[in-house]
C-alpha cells in the first residue's frame, strides 16, 4: 500500500508538532477532596484543599437539596479555620439527601460529596463521591477537573487529526499528477 508510509510520516509529524502544546499545558490539578459528616440535623464539612486565604476568606461551602442544580442555589456558609484545615457546618437540616460543594477563595472546587441526613438521632455518614460535572470516562481519573489550556490542546489535536484525515482522503481521490 503506497500511501501508508507518507500517512505515517504525516501523522508522526502532526503528533510531534502537538507535543509542545501538551507539555505546555502542564498537569491538571484536582482538588484534594472534602470530608462530610452528619450528627442528627447538623451537617459538617472539612477540607484541607483551601490553604490560600484571599481577602480574609478561605472560600464557601454550599448545601444543595436534590432539586437544586448549582452552588449558588444552596445554603452557603463561609469556611473557617486555618491554612491546614478549613470547615463549615449547617444546623437544623431536614432529613433527606443533600450534596455538599466546597469552593475555595481562589475559585477552584475542593470537592463535591453526597450526604444522607436521617430522622433518627444516630449519626449517618455517606462517603459517596459525586463528580461536579457528571462521570468522566477514561483511564481512571473519574473526577479530575481539567484546565482550559488542556482542553484547548485536546481540541487542537482533534482538529489537526480531522484536517489530516480530510487532506489524506482528498489527495487519495485525485489521480497522480506530475
Amino acid at each position: 500500500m503506497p500511501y501508508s508510509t507518507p500517512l505515517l510520516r504525516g501523522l508522526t509529524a502532526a503528533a510531534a508538532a502537538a507535543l509542545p502544546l501538551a507539555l505546555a499545558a502542564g498537569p491538571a490539578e484536582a482538588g484534594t477532596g472534602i470530608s462530610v459528616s452528619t450528627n442528627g440535623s447538623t451537617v459538617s464539612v472539612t477540607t484541607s484543599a483551601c490553604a490560600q486565604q484571599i481577602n480574609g476568606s478561605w472560600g464557601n461551602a454550599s448545601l444543595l437539596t436534590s432539586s437544586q442544580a448549582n452552588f449558588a442555589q444552596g445554603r452557603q456558609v463561609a469556611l473557617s479555620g486555618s491554612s491546614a484545615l478549613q470547615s463549615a457546618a449547617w444546623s437544623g437540616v431536614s432529613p433527606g439527601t443533600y450534596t455538599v460543594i466546597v469552593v475555595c477563595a481562589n475559585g477552584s472546587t475542593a470537592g463535591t460529596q453526597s450526604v444522607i441526613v436521617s430522622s433518627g438521632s444516630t449519626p449517618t455518614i455517606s462517603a459517596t463521591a459525586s463528580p461536579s460535572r457528571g462521570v468522566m470516562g477514561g483511564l481512571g481519573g473519574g473526577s479530575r477537573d481539567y484546565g482550559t489550556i488542556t482542553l484547548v490542546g485536546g481540541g487542537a489535536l482533534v482538529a489537526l487529526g480531522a484536517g489530516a484525515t480530510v487532506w489524506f482522503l482528498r489527495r487519495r481521490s485525485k489521480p497522480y499528477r506530475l
Side-chain angles (χ1 to χ4, degrees):
M1 192 159 159
Y3 295 107
S4 62
T5 304
L7 175 63
L8 184 58
R9 281 190 211 139
L11 292 177
T12 304
L19 184 61
L21 290 174
L23 292 176
E29 293 184 14
T32 57
I34 61 174
S35 176
V36 179
S37 62
T38 63
N39 187 5
S41 65
T42 301
V43 176
S44 60
V45 61
T46 58
T47 185
S48 59
C50 301
Q52 182 182 5
Q53 191 175 28
I54 298 175
N55 295 330
S57 172
W58 298 106
N60 291 318
S62 185
L63 182 70
L64 283 73
T65 63
S66 58
S67 64
Q68 296 170 326
N70 60 37
F71 185 86
Q73 293 175 337
R75 287 174 54 184
Q76 294 184 27
V77 176
L79 292 175
S80 60
S82 65
S83 60
L85 188 67
Q86 305 82 42
S87 63
W90 298 268
S91 59
V93 178
S94 302
T97 302
Y98 296 88
T99 301
V100 176
I101 303 173
V102 175
V103 176
C104 299
N106 64 5
S108 65
T109 301
T112 302
Q113 194 169 346
S114 294
V115 64
I116 298 172
V117 178
S118 64
S119 59
S121 61
T122 58
T124 302
I125 300 172
S126 174
T128 306
S130 174
S132 60
R133 295 184 303 193
V135 175
M136 294 184 221
L139 299 173
S143 61
R144 178 170 283 169
D145 185 22
Y146 292 100
T148 304
I149 295 174
T150 305
L151 294 176
V152 168
L157 288 174
V158 169
L160 184 65
T165 302
V166 169
W167 172 79
F168 176 75
L169 292 175
R170 286 184 48 92
R171 184 172 177 256
R172 186 175 168 196
S173 66
K174 295 181 181 176
Y176 276 105
R177 295 184 193 144
L178 295 175

